Amino acid sequence: MLIKNNSHKLLSGRFRGRAVAYLLAVLLLVLMSYYLPRLLPGDFVTAMYSGSPVTLTGEQEAELRAHYAAGDSLGHYLVNLFFLDWGFSFAFLTPVSSLILAALPWTLFLVGGAHLLSTLLGFIAGVEAAWRRGAVEKGLVAVMTFLEGIPEMGTGVLLLLLFSLYLGWFPAAGGETAYAGYSLPRWCLDVLHHTALPFITLVGAYLPGSFLLARGGMVVVLHSPFIKTARAKGLPPLRVRYGHAARNALLPVVTRFGLRFAFMLTGALVVESIYSYPGLGTLLFKAISLRDLPTIRAIVLFSSLLVLVINMALEVLYERLDPRVQHEL
Amino acid sequence: MKYCFRISAFITIAALIMLAGIPAQGASGQRELRIADGTGDWGYPNPFGHYPRGPGYIRMSWVFDTLVWKDQKGYIPALADSWKYDPAAMTFTFHLNPRAKWHDGKQVTAEDVVFTIGYYRKHPYRFIKTTGIGAVSAKGARTVLIKLAKPYAPFLSDIGGTMPILPKHVWESVADPEKYLDPKAFIGSGPYQFRDFDKTGGSYLYEAFPDYYQGPPQVERLIYVRSGKPLISLTTGEADLANIQPEMGESLVKKGVKVISDERGWVKKLLINHHKKPLSDKRFRQALAYLIDQKEIVEQGHRGFATLASYGLLSIDHDMYNPGTPTYLYDLQKASRLIEALGFKRGKDGFFQKDGKKLKLALLSSNIAAGGESVADRDGEIIKRQLEKGGIAVELVNMEQATTDGRIKKWDFELAISGHGGISGDPVILNEMISSVYGGGSVTSARYDDNAALNKLLEKSLVEMDQVKRKEIVYQIQKIYAQELPAIPLYYPQTKAAYNPRKGVDWFYTKGGIAKGIPLPQNKLSLIKR
């Protein structure tokens, strides 16, 4: 009973410790999201009016600068955040939360989908390759290592030139045909049509890493005594492969999945830009080039909070996947 | 497992083939036109919502009309059927078109024009300056009298042809116009009614206004789409009009696309920090001009798709361009003599030095290009090589546009590559791009006030309403500018657009640019039967 009570106290103490650490991290992120974008050289007025047919006088410029500086203090920012107000975009003249909500589904669909599929395919292919070892496996490793070295930008531009410019099979830009007035099924097809090239680009970028990690992990695990035992017991190969071996090779793949997932909101900036895809990456790129501080702040904070949440989720998932992790904590 | 792979591969390939067969363009039954640009989002299309950039103004111009407008030749009637200027009374009189209506069906009246000017005085619209306007009054329902506080030569360009007229019945109760985004905020008197703006997608939808006073527009739906690769969008049929890189023109013509070129209305120039020594000495700036070989930049950096710029800043296509403007043909010796006259001597390494210090300048470079676009070029590298050949060491700093502009604004630079349009429009651009009185808040202006004679001429050119006399003044300004060289004009890049002629619309570039000088071919007159 005494042992049970102590264990309970230990657990709740550990939980409190974690909660405090995460809370501090949130506070730090909020402060950094306010101060870091301010360090960017240039400001909204200069960025907005450079290259404009409007030539500002010194007074007009000072007036505009004062206008945008008003209400942009840290105090305002914190109070607004407390009331879940993410700010008002200088450039888009819209609450930033509505901008994020409009862009988020596109990013989740493209990057989340590509990420999920590439991890799944990469993992299965990695497990199968390690199990079957031979010429095909070696060939696959060589191909995947080569693909891992090609940047998304290279694949993106190549696919665009080949399938859009020369063959004309896929559209060059956007997430859908704007204002086409399609029925729902036709709209779904249209979205898939627009998403195909950026999706393939991302899958091509993410899959090799998952494959190599899974294969590497499996090769080590397959030599373990417990696998030999499982085989000796006459368990079906599929169960040995996935129920025993792959489960133990899963941890690095999950880590990679989690980290990539956390950065996916802004990580696909290059691909989104190439294909003019209406996601968060494009939104952030635009906000940075215009020095739209409220929008930059909100996206930075949103993404970093997501990193934190994913980190928390990974900790829980690790404990479930590998009980050793729980003891080491 | 093997079968699973095969089935997945088969499904994937089948899906891709199926998707590839889907046409890229819309399937609307109405006649529509799609315009592509690389940025997409340019703000809400009303005077207080659009970005203060050319493409933002254009998106607004479909919805809101001005008193006068421009075509390929010059000013033509818009909301005002006719107009005249009375020099004695310093008053412009505009007679409004009796057929002009707002999108909600109400009549456009002289009161709306009077209200608009008053409203912009209270809530400035940055494309126009109302400071030179005196009393404004309505005479009956269709006549507006605008008295000037003092003669103002660019009135038609800056106000008459640029100021969007607002409906009084909508805006008179609006206290904070920037936050007013009600559907009524988009009631204008232009040929198109605003229907939707997708901020994240960067697309706009307009529909023809059937009661437009110049007749219903030719195309029912006008759509703007964002495309990072407008050229590809043109060839795939996703877009019907887009700006293109000049070198792509020939290949597009072969595909049945029509290519049009603008006059030389945009200039790339070298900004100079004339507050810093030795750049503050005009002899040194002249030496720089002799060392920079414009021809080499055009030929090597732009494969000939550009024209050498006049050192007087105004476009060589301008009616007031002075052909007698001083020039600086590449001359190493002349440059050396000018630099030596400032006390510099050639060191053993070939670079000039003074008091034991090597003559070294930092050059900021970025990708600024016409029409709000960003295009990578090699101008910085070429200028660095040319100056170093002439004995000036150069540190080339490549940065993104906003960072470069931020440093220029704070005078935290020595040399910077920059550019702007408007040089084929009203000569007021000279005031804005030279004097700090007019361009003190701009990063493309030289903000140069050191020459009293030049300042005086700039002032005089603004109040001279006689175009012949104004031309004389503008001639002198260009001459002095070319001697002083507060910034060195480099070249005029070729500006081209391409469109699908099968849509039955002939797009054109406007003389002097749209409104204040926007170098884009999206003039609303293209869609109006004339």
Side-chain angles (χ1 to χ4, degrees):
Chain A
M1 193 64 184
L2 188 69
I3 294 168
K4 201 178 175 186
N5 277 345
N6 280 344
S7 153
H8 180 72
K9 275 183 189 170
L10 197 72
L11 276 173
S12 69
R14 207 172 66 192
F15 176 76
R16 268 203 299 273
R18 260 198 225 176
V20 170
Y22 276 112
L23 201 67
L24 282 174
V26 169
L27 280 174
L28 194 70
L29 288 176
V30 168
L31 289 176
M32 280 172 70
S33 70
Y34 178 79
Y35 284 111
L36 278 181
R38 290 175 83 90
L39 296 177
L40 282 169
D43 66 300
F44 178 69
V45 175
T46 307
M48 191 52 125
Y49 282 85
S50 86
S52 163
V54 176
T55 308
L56 293 176
T57 62
E59 296 80 50
Q60 285 174 323
E61 190 212 9
E63 193 183 295
L64 279 167
R65 197 157 276 140
H67 170 74
Y68 289 110
D72 198 39
S73 65
L74 177 63
H76 269 101
Y77 180 58
L78 294 177
V79 170
N80 285 347
L81 273 183
F82 185 77
F83 290 106
L84 295 178
D85 177 352
W86 290 71
F88 194 83
S89 164
F90 293 160
F92 294 90
L93 297 176
T94 309
V96 181
S97 51
S98 73
L99 289 175
I100 292 180
L101 283 178
L104 192 61
W106 290 104
T107 296
L108 284 177
F109 177 62
L110 170 68
V111 194
H115 191 41
L116 210 65
L117 188 73
S118 59
T119 304
L120 203 69
L121 286 180
F123 179 70
I124 295 172
V127 168
E128 293 298 323
W131 184 262
R132 287 181 165 78
R133 305 200 70 177
V136 177
E137 179 234 3
K138 280 181 186 150
L140 264 177
V141 171
V143 169
M144 291 296 181
T145 311
F146 174 73
L147 285 176
E148 178 77 347
I150 301 178
E152 294 159 18
M153 186 184 257
T155 326
V157 172
L158 202 72
L159 290 178
L160 193 69
L161 288 178
L162 185 63
F163 291 105
S164 205
L165 181 63
Y166 294 111
L167 296 172
W169 289 358
F170 292 96
E176 61 181 324
T177 305
Y179 308 113
Y182 290 143
S183 61
L184 185 65
R186 182 78 169 85
W187 177 79
C188 291
L189 274 178
D190 183 56
V191 169
L192 288 176
H193 192 209
H194 279 80
T195 313
L197 290 185
F199 192 83
I200 294 168
T201 306
L202 286 177
V203 169
Y206 296 160
L207 191 134
S210 300
F211 169 84
L212 293 171
L213 266 180
R215 184 220 155 248
M218 272 294 278
V219 167
V220 175
V221 170
L222 286 176
H223 288 104
S224 306
F226 74 93
I227 297 295
K228 283 178 189 158
T229 311
R231 279 178 162 172
K233 275 162 73 179
L235 290 176
L238 203 65
R239 194 164 160 202
V240 177
R241 214 146 70 215
Y242 287 94
H244 290 75
R247 192 180 168 189
N248 286 282
L250 193 61
L251 222 54
V253 180
V254 170
T255 310
R256 181 186 151 88
F257 179 82
L259 290 176
R260 284 268 188 173
F261 195 85
F263 288 110
M264 79 173 186
L265 292 188
T266 51
L269 196 146
V270 173
V271 173
E272 284 191 6
S273 296
I274 293 172
Y275 292 100
S276 302
Y277 196 78
L280 272 180
T282 306
L283 187 65
L284 180 65
F285 179 76
K286 175 101 197 214
I288 291 173
S289 61
L290 283 176
R291 301 295 189 266
D292 185 0
L293 290 185
T295 308
I296 303 173
R297 270 183 211 139
I299 297 176
V300 167
L301 184 62
F302 185 74
S303 317
S304 45
L305 286 178
L306 195 76
V307 172
L308 209 65
V309 170
I310 299 247
N311 208 38
M312 281 165 67
L314 278 181
E315 277 190 30
V316 175
L317 195 64
Y318 280 167
E319 287 175 16
R320 284 187 181 271
L321 285 174
D322 190 346
R324 286 170 303 175
V325 176
Q326 197 172 20
H327 296 302
E328 284 158 14
L329 281 171
Chain B
M1 193 54 68
K2 210 181 257 181
Y3 290 114
C4 280
F5 273 127
R6 282 178 189 169
I7 290 167
S8 316
F10 175 75
I11 291 172
T12 310
I13 292 167
L16 285 174
I17 291 171
M18 203 176 80
L19 286 172
I22 298 173
Q25 61 269 56
S28 156
Q30 290 173 302
R31 233 187 127 203
E32 66 180 35
L33 261 168
R34 290 174 179 257
I35 303 174
D37 88 356
T39 304
D41 164 55
W42 294 99
Y44 287 94
N46 80 23
F48 298 99
H50 75 79
Y51 292 0
R53 306 272 192 96
Y57 182 91
I58 298 288
R59 277 157 178 75
M60 183 275 300
S61 74
W62 297 106
V63 184
F64 290 86
D65 264 10
T66 50
L67 289 171
V68 297
W69 197 242
K70 276 193 284 186
D71 64 5
Q72 300 97 317
K73 291 176 186 161
Y75 292 103
I76 56 160
L79 279 175
D81 255 351
S82 61
W83 64 93
K84 64 173 184 195
Y85 177 66
D86 176 357
M90 285 199 303
T91 299
F92 274 96
T93 304
F94 291 93
H95 299 287
L96 302 185
N97 188 318
R99 293 186 304 277
K101 275 185 186 170
W102 297 109
H103 294 158
D104 60 3
K106 293 199 165 85
Q107 205 72 38
V108 176
T109 65
E111 270 307 319
D112 289 314
V113 181
V114 176
F115 167 80
T116 298
I117 294 173
Y119 198 76
Y120 288 146
R121 278 178 168 150
K122 220 162 135 192
H123 307 283
Y125 172 53
R126 306 289 169 198
F127 267 74
I128 61 157
K129 291 183 178 77
T130 51
T131 45
I133 300 176
V136 185
S137 57
K139 195 175 155 190
R142 310 259 172 272
T143 305
V144 188
L145 304 172
I146 302 177
K147 189 174 168 59
L148 303 182
K150 64 175 181 178
Y152 186 60
F155 180 87
L156 276 189
S157 156
D158 270 18
I159 296 166
T162 300
M163 180 178 68
I165 304 299
L166 299 170
K168 183 184 174 187
H169 61 280
V170 171
W171 292 88
E172 61 187 344
S173 56
V174 179
D176 190 354
E178 277 187 14
K179 291 196 173 157
Y180 183 59
L181 296 172
D182 186 88
K184 283 185 187 167
F186 304 96
I187 291 176
S189 56
Y192 281 87
Q193 292 172 284
F194 168 66
R195 289 289 181 241
D196 190 56
F197 165 37
D198 176 353
K199 290 175 281 297
T200 46
S203 46
Y204 293 76
L205 171 66
Y206 301 85
E207 282 177 1
F209 178 41
D211 287 341
Y212 187 56
Y213 59 95
Q214 298 191 54
Q218 291 185 52
V219 170
E220 281 108 342
R221 289 179 11 131
L222 181 66
I223 295 166
Y224 276 93
V225 291
R226 175 166 62 213
S227 171
K229 305 277 179 290
L231 179 81
I232 302 180
S233 297
L234 263 174
T235 52
T236 56
E238 290 168 81
D240 304 307
L241 168 70
N243 290 345
I244 58 160
Q245 292 300 306
E247 55 270 40
M248 302 308 293
E250 214 168 294
S251 61
L252 279 171
V253 170
K254 284 178 193 159
K255 289 184 177 179
V257 174
K258 190 155 183 189
V259 176
I260 48 173
S261 302
D262 195 8
E263 61 189 354
R264 287 158 281 208
W266 199 93
V267 66
K268 194 88 174 237
K269 67 184 185 183
L270 183 70
L271 283 176
I272 300 171
N273 186 345
H274 45 80
H275 291 318
K276 271 191 175 179
K277 279 186 178 172
L279 299 161
S280 53
D281 194 308
K282 79 172 176 188
R283 288 171 294 173
F284 190 81
R285 299 196 294 268
Q286 288 170 347
L288 290 179
Y290 278 122
L291 288 178
I292 294 171
D293 186 357
Q294 290 178 325
K295 207 171 160 195
E296 191 189 6
I297 300 175
V298 166
E299 282 170 4
Q300 287 192 11
H302 300 273
R303 296 167 297 283
F305 291 103
T307 313
L308 313 191
S310 157
Y311 289 93
L313 192 63
L314 216 55
S315 166
I316 55 173
D317 289 332
H318 202 287
D319 293 340
M320 296 190 187
Y321 160 66
N322 179 358
T325 304
T327 56
Y328 296 87
L329 284 176
Y330 178 69
D331 194 326
L332 216 55
Q333 284 180 341
K334 271 187 188 170
S336 291
R337 279 200 296 275
L338 283 164
I339 297 173
E340 279 160 4
L342 297 172
F344 288 94
K345 287 203 168 81
R346 284 263 189 184
K348 282 179 189 164
D349 57 0
F351 291 112
F352 283 105
Q353 49 181 273
K354 192 177 178 181
D355 306 327
K357 272 178 81 179
K358 186 158 65 170
L359 176 56
K360 189 175 181 183
L361 297 172
L363 169 64
L364 302 187
S365 182
S366 58
N367 298 331
I368 190 166
E373 305 283 340
S374 173
V375 179
D377 58 45
R378 293 174 50 225
D379 295 348
E381 289 168 46
I382 297 172
I383 292 174
K384 174 184 160 77
R385 198 179 64 231
Q386 291 177 345
L387 293 183
E388 293 200 328
K389 198 174 162 194
I392 301 171
V394 174
E395 183 198 352
L396 182 63
V397 186
N398 278 299
M399 287 186 296
E400 57 99 40
Q401 199 58 49
T403 307
T404 306
D405 291 338
R407 286 183 61 177
I408 294 170
K409 186 76 225 0
K410 288 190 269 180
W411 293 103
D412 178 19
F413 76 105
E414 285 166 338
L415 301 173
I417 298 172
S418 184
H420 58 83
I423 53 162
S424 60
D426 193 278
V428 69
I429 191 73
L430 293 170
N431 295 57
E432 295 173 346
M433 288 301 129
I434 299 173
S435 158
S436 75
V437 176
Y438 301 93
S442 164
V443 291
T444 46
S445 174
R447 297 169 280 169
Y448 181 77
D449 308 315
D450 293 354
N451 188 307
L454 182 60
N455 298 341
K456 214 171 161 185
L457 284 167
L458 288 171
E459 293 297 331
K460 228 172 135 184
S461 80
L462 279 194
V463 294
E464 183 51 71
M465 302 297 277
D466 183 318
Q467 289 303 296
V468 179
K469 287 181 186 162
R470 194 178 184 211
K471 188 174 178 176
E472 277 306 310
I473 299 167
V474 172
Y475 263 46
Q476 290 177 59
I477 292 172
Q478 291 172 78
K479 195 176 163 193
I480 298 177
Y481 182 92
Q483 287 159 353
E484 292 289 315
L485 287 178
I488 302 174
L490 299 171
Y491 63 87
Y492 313 119
Q494 278 191 17
T495 309
K496 290 190 183 214
Y499 66 88
N500 175 5
R502 290 182 295 279
K503 289 282 178 170
V505 174
D506 284 323
W507 297 96
F508 64 89
Y509 279 103
T510 309
K511 185 177 167 60
I514 292 173
K516 275 198 77 166
I518 300 162
L520 290 172
Q522 298 156 34
N523 191 319
K524 53 188 161 190
L525 293 176
S526 297
L527 297 184
I528 298 166
K529 286 174 198 149
R530 287 183 290 157

